[in-house]
Amino acid sequence: MAERDWYGVDDYISRKLASGDEALDAALAANAAAGLPAIDVSAPQGKLLGLYARMIGARHILEIGTLGGYSTICLARALPADGRLVTLEIDPHHAEVARSNIAHAGLADRVDIRVGPARRTLDAMRVAGEGPFDLVFIDADKPSNPDYFAAALAMARSGTVIICDNVVRDGRVIDAQSTEPAIVGTRALFDILASDARVDATAIQTVGSKGWDGFAIAIVK
Ligand SMILES: C[S@@+](CC[C@H](N)C(=O)[O-])C[C@H]1O[C@@H](n2cnc3c(N)ncnc32)[C@H](O)[C@@H]1O
């Protein structure tokens, strides 16, 4: 299938199964108006995240990389009324836009946005004994993926699902000679997923409005 058809099929899927969502459409519009980069998950991907959360009955979710809160909204909607989602963001402007988008979606009561470098926030969370989380979505700076995965594991329980976005990157993930920090970080994550006996994992390539990329998904044994 020609590459251009990815977009048509993604558009078809979005229109059929993931459209007409006022809060998500408003979030994307607010992100664009505020100058945020359009690097959120796509509508079908966001829906998939929410479905995963519902499939496992998630009550506590950790997200690393908020941007304007698009994926946050998709995940937080899957929570029960007393559920909680903690999302970590380094950029105060992104966090401010996300806060507004999340409030507009009616989810402010269950989402906790923490601003600062995620590694530092995660260290503080571990020291404070936070967790266990039922689902962790890793979607921030890719070179730090191995550290974020380690932190997710430290705040997990048996059955926790850990999802990591952008692990294919137009196929560049198979370039063992790459010095691109995001590729080096992603390949290091694959090494951990392959060798860490505490998890069972796979990765799935995706094509669509966000190009050629993929998710890794792991479950803690
Ligand atoms: C790909 S975007 C997240 C997209 C979001 N998950 C969504 O799909 O709507 C990555 C976000 O991670 C943030 N980020 C980058 N480095 C970070 C770090 N060291 N700590 C926390 N957040 C970081 C960026 O500012 C950006 O907002």
Side-chain angles (χ1 to χ4, degrees):
M1 182 185 277
E3 185 174 325
R4 64 189 159 72
D5 291 334
W6 299 351
Y7 300 95
V9 173
D10 214 26
D11 184 54
Y12 173 77
I13 293 169
S14 298
R15 281 187 287 107
K16 278 285 180 190
L17 303 175
S19 71
D21 190 314
E22 192 278 330
L24 289 177
D25 291 345
L28 291 182
N31 290 356
L36 271 56
I39 51 174
D40 3 54
V41 294
S42 69
Q45 290 168 351
K47 193 131 188 226
L48 180 67
L49 290 173
L51 289 171
Y52 279 141
R54 285 166 58 193
M55 284 174 198
I56 63 165
R59 303 178 68 82
H60 296 103
I61 296 176
L62 171 63
E63 177 181 64
I64 306 171
T66 316
L67 191 63
Y70 188 94
S71 56
T72 318
I73 293 169
C74 296
L75 286 164
R77 279 178 172 166
L79 291 168
D82 62 346
R84 289 289 173 271
L85 184 153
V86 178
T87 183
L88 314 185
E89 174 55 54
I90 196 169
D91 186 320
H93 178 53
H94 293 181
E96 184 189 325
V97 175
R99 194 164 286 114
S100 165
N101 287 336
I102 290 161
H104 181 76
L107 295 163
D109 60 335
R110 64 195 75 167
V111 175
D112 177 1
I113 305 175
R114 301 195 190 168
V115 183
R119 285 198 217 190
R120 204 164 67 200
T121 310
L122 289 164
D123 284 346
M125 291 174 72
R126 287 162 71 169
V127 168
E130 290 194 48
F133 292 95
D134 306 310
L135 187 150
V136 182
F137 178 48
I138 300 172
D139 188 21
D141 53 312
K142 310 307 170 185
S144 300
N145 276 346
D147 294 325
Y148 295 153
F149 192 79
L153 266 182
M155 291 187 281
R157 58 167 173 78
S158 175
T160 293
V161 170
I162 304 173
I163 301 167
C164 191
D165 198 10
N166 307 123
V167 300
V168 173
R169 310 194 71 87
D170 289 315
R172 296 196 305 284
V173 69
I174 61 171
D175 181 0
Q177 309 309 317
S178 177
T179 55
E180 185 188 338
I183 298 300
V184 174
T186 300
R187 289 179 62 86
L189 174 70
F190 269 99
D191 289 343
I192 295 166
L193 295 176
S195 62
D196 193 320
R198 292 172 295 176
V199 295
D200 200 5
T202 190
I204 293 294
Q205 301 184 69
T206 57
V207 293
S209 64
K210 302 287 173 173
W212 176 23
D213 217 319
F215 285 102
I217 181 162
I219 189 163
V220 180
K221 293 181 192 164

